[in-house]
């Protein structure tokens, strides 16, 4: 833990959202207090920061650190938002011998620029690669701050969706922005937004070798969207899963529930000790794959029954009961599922 001389102390007890102590090795318990440290430093006190020319897009006028960093392996970190400004998704950081790879670019250019500034506290190496795990606005709307020398990588589907404006015109953004507007800096961060698609794509697999590190990118099939990319470090046994795999129920408004189950089966082929999800803290229990598969199977079966019974999406959203999954997903306390998920399931059932 790094503590600043201005007594900005940040103590972590390394608990998950349910308050349970996470079982991790000492290295994985090491939460880097750099976010708070950053808030207490002036640019002049850090030569690396002073030398940077990082843009200040709309929405950059906030106080305190935007991120906290957790080290999960040597030179591998997860960056999570502090709440001082809306950042959307987590980012995963891989510091290579000469450069840096970042997974996901957040909800706005302002959030992405904030990450660039605060990265200087853990490395002075340049960002060379940005991977978009999928096309959703909270994971890809910071692409525009990166220069032409940065390779922005994503699945072909992700490029198509961003290039066609689906990250701003699609129902997911149009619906979610109405609630996200309450988050600090979200509305301001959308001003001047110009979604940029990946400039390098993959269809199934890509491998990047940087120094002695192997970085694998995998597309195992449709799941959360039509183009979810996993980033896998085989030596470090770290998996960066985007929103395909989290320790909580996923958003399914653009998903493929039946195929998602089979895609997750292929994820089991990878040998990993740590998962860095697109939302929430790292976890190590592979059983979350099984839990999500069970949840998706039951969701699909019960929504299909509601569809066959002639219920409207609105009726099904209030009546479908997945509370038997509440043991593992604490947010489920009774009947009811997200309307966006039901509408998506109905569209798939109707062949739309």
């Amino acid at each position: 833990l790094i503590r600043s001389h201005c007594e900005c102390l940040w103590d972590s007890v390394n608990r998950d959202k349910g308050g349970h102590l996470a079982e991790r090795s000492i290295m994985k318990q090491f939460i880097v207090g750099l976010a708070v440290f950053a808030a207490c430093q002036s640019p002049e006190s850090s030569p690396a920061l002073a030398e940077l020319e990082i843009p200040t897009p709309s929405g950059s006028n906030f106080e305190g650190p935007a991120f906290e960093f957790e080290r999960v392996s040597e030179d591998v970190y997860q960056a999570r938002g502090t709440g001082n400004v809306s950042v959307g998704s987590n980012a995963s950081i891989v510091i290579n011998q000469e450069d840096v790879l970042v997974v996901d670019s957040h909800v706005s250019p302002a959030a992405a620029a904030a990450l660039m500034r605060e990265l200087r506290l853990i490395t002075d190496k340049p960002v060379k690669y940005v991977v978009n795990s999928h096309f959703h606005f909270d994971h890809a709307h910071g692409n525009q701050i990166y220069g032409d020398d940065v390779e922005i990588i994503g699945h072909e589907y992700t490029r198509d969706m961003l290039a066609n404006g689906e990250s701003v015109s699609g129902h997911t953004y149009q619906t979610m922005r109405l609630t996200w507007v309450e988050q600090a800096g979200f509305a301001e961060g959308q001003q001047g937004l110009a979604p940029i698609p990946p400039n390098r794509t993959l269809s199934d697999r890509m491998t990047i070798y940087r120094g002695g590190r192997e970085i694998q990118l995998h597309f195992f099939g449709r799941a959360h969207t039509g183009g979810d990319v996993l980033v896998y470090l085989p030596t470090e046994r770290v998996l960066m899963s985007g929103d395909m795999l989290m320790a909580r129920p996923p958003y399914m408004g653009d998903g493929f529930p039946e195929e998602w189950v089979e895609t997750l089966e292929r994820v089991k082929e990878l040998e990993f000790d740590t998962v860095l999800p697109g939302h929430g803290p790292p976890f190590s229990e592979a059983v979350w794959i099984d839990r999500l598969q069970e949840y998706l199977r039951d969701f699909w079966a019960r929504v299909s029954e509601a569809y066959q019974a002639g219920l409207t999406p609105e009726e099904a959203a209030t009546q479908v009961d997945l509370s038997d999954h509440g043991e593992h997903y604490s947010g489920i306390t009774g009947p009811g599922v997200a309307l966006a998920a039901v509408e998506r399931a109905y569209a798939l059932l109707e062949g739309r």
Side-chain angles (χ1 to χ4, degrees):
L1 182 67
I2 297 178
R3 303 169 186 265
S4 73
H5 291 295
C6 60
E7 296 184 349
C8 289
L9 306 182
W10 178 53
D11 294 311
S12 171
V13 294
N14 194 21
R15 293 179 181 270
D16 63 20
K17 288 190 173 182
H20 302 292
L21 285 173
E23 296 179 356
R24 301 178 187 168
S25 66
I26 292 176
M27 176 172 287
K28 292 173 185 174
Q29 289 177 344
F30 180 60
I31 307 291
V32 183
L34 297 174
V36 174
F37 184 69
C40 303
Q41 303 298 301
S42 67
E44 292 76 18
S45 67
S46 172
L49 279 172
E51 294 170 2
L52 287 176
E53 294 183 5
I54 298 174
T56 54
S58 178
S60 297
N61 186 24
F62 61 90
E63 295 182 357
F67 296 94
E68 59 185 27
F69 296 86
E70 179 172 353
R71 188 176 72 183
V72 298
S73 182
E74 185 173 359
D75 289 333
V76 181
Y77 297 80
Q78 184 190 60
R80 297 188 297 271
T82 62
N84 290 324
V85 66
S86 177
V87 301
S89 68
N90 298 332
S92 297
I93 314 298
V94 183
I95 302 173
N96 302 310
Q97 184 174 324
E98 297 181 352
D99 49 44
V100 177
L101 178 144
V102 175
V103 180
D104 287 330
S105 67
H106 306 297
V107 74
S108 67
L115 181 70
M116 289 286 285
R117 285 192 296 273
E118 295 178 24
L119 272 180
R120 302 304 82 173
L121 292 162
I122 57 176
T123 181
D124 59 359
K125 297 173 184 176
V127 173
K128 174 64 176 176
Y129 303 96
V130 174
V131 178
N132 292 152
S133 64
H134 59 288
F135 79 91
H136 281 160
F137 70 101
D138 54 326
H139 292 256
H141 274 185
N143 287 357
Q144 72 189 70
I145 75 152
Y146 293 101
D148 294 338
D149 58 333
V150 176
E151 294 188 24
I152 302 176
I153 305 171
H155 190 266
E156 294 166 352
Y157 177 88
T158 296
R159 176 177 169 79
D160 289 344
M161 296 296 277
L162 285 166
N164 294 332
E166 286 295 321
S167 68
V168 290
S169 64
H171 65 92
T172 294
Y173 180 76
Q174 293 299 321
T175 301
M176 286 191 173
R177 70 173 182 169
L178 300 177
T179 55
W180 283 53
V181 72
E182 301 298 325
Q183 296 185 16
F186 174 78
E188 296 88 342
Q190 303 307 291
Q191 298 174 15
L193 179 68
I196 301 296
N199 53 34
R200 185 177 178 186
T201 62
L202 68 148
S203 58
D204 297 302
R205 174 171 174 163
M206 176 187 297
T207 304
I208 301 171
Y209 295 95
R210 304 303 297 164
R213 173 174 281 127
E214 178 181 353
I215 306 169
Q216 297 179 8
L217 281 64
H218 293 276
F219 173 72
F220 284 145
R222 299 194 295 187
H224 177 65
T225 70
D228 299 287
V229 170
L230 301 171
V231 179
Y232 174 56
L233 307 179
T235 300
E236 294 84 353
R237 297 173 64 92
V238 174
L239 175 66
M240 302 160 201
S241 62
D243 289 1
M244 181 197 297
L245 175 62
M246 301 184 290
R248 68 190 200 188
Y251 172 76
M252 292 190 283
D254 294 305
F256 299 84
E258 281 192 300
E259 296 177 53
W260 199 332
V261 173
E262 298 306 315
T263 298
L264 287 169
E265 198 64 29
R266 293 195 62 192
V267 177
K268 294 178 181 179
E269 300 170 6
L270 302 177
E271 297 181 354
F272 57 86
D273 296 325
T274 305
V275 178
L276 305 185
H279 302 273
F283 59 90
S284 58
E285 302 87 351
V287 70
W288 283 109
I289 299 179
D290 298 320
R291 291 170 179 168
L292 179 53
Q293 287 178 309
E294 293 167 3
Y295 176 87
L296 291 168
R297 288 190 189 101
D298 286 346
F299 167 83
W300 184 253
R302 294 169 196 179
V303 172
S304 297
E305 290 174 2
Y307 176 81
Q308 295 299 329
L311 273 65
T312 66
E314 291 76 13
E315 291 170 335
T318 61
Q319 296 180 33
V320 169
D321 189 357
L322 292 169
S323 58
D324 50 328
H325 294 272
E327 177 184 358
H328 304 303
Y329 297 120
S330 60
I332 302 175
T333 57
V337 293
L339 177 59
V342 176
E343 289 175 335
R344 174 62 175 171
Y346 273 40
L348 292 171
L349 288 164
E350 294 171 358
R352 294 187 281 117

